[in-house]
Amino acid sequence: ARATARVRRGRKGYSSIDAAKDAEVVKGVIPDAYEGTALATLRHDYCVSHSSPLSPLLQTVAQETQRQLRLPQMLSSPLTVQLLQTLIRASGARRILEIGTYTGFTALGMAEILKEGMEVVCLDDFSDEAQAEALCHQMLSAGGAAGARIQLRRQAALQGLRELSEAVEAGEQPFDLCFIDADKENQVAYVEELFGAQ
């Protein structure tokens, strides 16, 4: 046991596979269903705790989603919001497309850092959980300037993508960034539609 502890502290020859099997590391951790394992849950929680906190608005969206809806696991991670914000800042994206909005968590997270004249266009038909639509509208209204930068289109993603593509071809500003967080079985079709694959 002493040699194992020494290896763990020194990190030589001790991998994440070893950590996942190490009862001392994962003791008492209940694996998050989305993360899948105790170690992934620990890793995710560590990253969240060492990242910038969510804005009060996003904290409210997360809390209300957990409190009111039956599929709160569909909410993206705070780390996803922070990654998207980083990508927007780095790329200078002005017009963003989100496929799959649920309660507006990531849309509001992206819109929070946008300046006037920039927007997030969201496509969602709310077929996964119809009650999410009312909460999404409520959160976008509570979002102030961030909520005002979001255009929510209640429609199936493929139909919406085709209409948006036609609008861009007719002269509307193209999208600089797209976040696909919708039904997994259609994600390839969404990418093909976005890039014009036949």
Side-chain angles (χ1 to χ4, degrees), residues 128-163:
D128 289 318
E129 186 169 8
Q131 295 81 356
E133 184 176 9
L135 183 57
C136 182
H137 284 289
Q138 179 185 343
M139 294 296 104
L140 296 184
S141 294
R149 291 185 190 102
I150 296 171
Q151 178 193 134
L152 179 61
R153 298 173 62 135
R154 186 187 195 284
Q155 62 187 148
L158 283 174
Q159 175 191 345
L161 285 171
R162 291 177 183 131
E163 289 177 12

Side-chain angles (χ1 to χ4, degrees), residues 27-47:
K27 181 181 178 183
V29 176
I30 298 170
D32 178 83
Y34 186 77
E35 296 299 330
T37 66
L39 185 62
T41 300
L42 281 171
R43 189 177 309 137
H44 177 268
D45 292 349
Y46 174 86
C47 291

Side-chain angles (χ1 to χ4, degrees), residues 116-183:
E116 196 167 323
M118 304 163 101
E119 72 173 339
V120 179
V121 176
C122 303
L123 300 175
D124 202 317
D125 63 4
F126 298 98
S127 59
D128 289 318
E129 186 169 8
Q131 295 81 356
E133 184 176 9
L135 183 57
C136 182
H137 284 289
Q138 179 185 343
M139 294 296 104
L140 296 184
S141 294
R149 291 185 190 102
I150 296 171
Q151 178 193 134
L152 179 61
R153 298 173 62 135
R154 186 187 195 284
Q155 62 187 148
L158 283 174
Q159 175 191 345
L161 285 171
R162 291 177 183 131
E163 289 177 12
L164 289 168
S165 178
E166 290 170 7
V168 168
E169 287 175 15
E172 202 169 287
Q173 181 183 355
F175 292 96
D176 303 306
L177 183 113
C178 178
F179 175 52
I180 302 174
D181 191 26
D183 53 320

Side-chain angles (χ1 to χ4, degrees), residues 5-15:
R6 196 168 36 246
V7 169
R8 185 184 307 119
R9 279 194 290 274
R11 301 276 196 261
K12 291 185 179 180
Y14 187 80
S15 70

Side-chain angles (χ1 to χ4, degrees), residues 39-186:
L39 185 62
T41 300
L42 281 171
R43 189 177 309 137
H44 177 268
D45 292 349
Y46 174 86
C47 291
V48 169
S49 69
H50 288 79
S51 299
S52 300
L54 292 173
S55 68
L57 172 63
L58 293 182
Q59 289 177 28
T60 299
V61 176
Q63 290 164 357
E64 290 304 310
T65 301
Q66 290 286 337
R67 190 176 70 77
Q68 294 185 34
L69 300 180
R70 64 180 176 80
L71 296 172
Q73 67 272 18
M74 288 179 40
L75 201 66
S76 293
S77 164
L79 298 175
T80 301
V81 172
Q82 292 176 347
L83 174 63
L84 289 166
Q85 289 176 340
T86 299
L87 292 171
I88 291 165
R89 287 183 180 113
S91 68
R94 299 182 53 78
R95 191 165 191 236
I96 300 149
L97 176 62
E98 179 181 59
I99 302 172
T101 303
Y102 195 45
T103 57
F105 183 71
T106 52
L108 284 163
M110 292 186 286
E112 280 183 334
I113 66 164
L114 297 180
K115 295 177 174 61
E116 196 167 323
M118 304 163 101
E119 72 173 339
V120 179
V121 176
C122 303
L123 300 175
D124 202 317
D125 63 4
F126 298 98
S127 59
D128 289 318
E129 186 169 8
Q131 295 81 356
E133 184 176 9
L135 183 57
C136 182
H137 284 289
Q138 179 185 343
M139 294 296 104
L140 296 184
S141 294
R149 291 185 190 102
I150 296 171
Q151 178 193 134
L152 179 61
R153 298 173 62 135
R154 186 187 195 284
Q155 62 187 148
L158 283 174
Q159 175 191 345
L161 285 171
R162 291 177 183 131
E163 289 177 12
L164 289 168
S165 178
E166 290 170 7
V168 168
E169 287 175 15
E172 202 169 287
Q173 181 183 355
F175 292 96
D176 303 306
L177 183 113
C178 178
F179 175 52
I180 302 174
D181 191 26
D183 53 320
K184 308 306 179 235
E185 61 273 8
N186 285 315

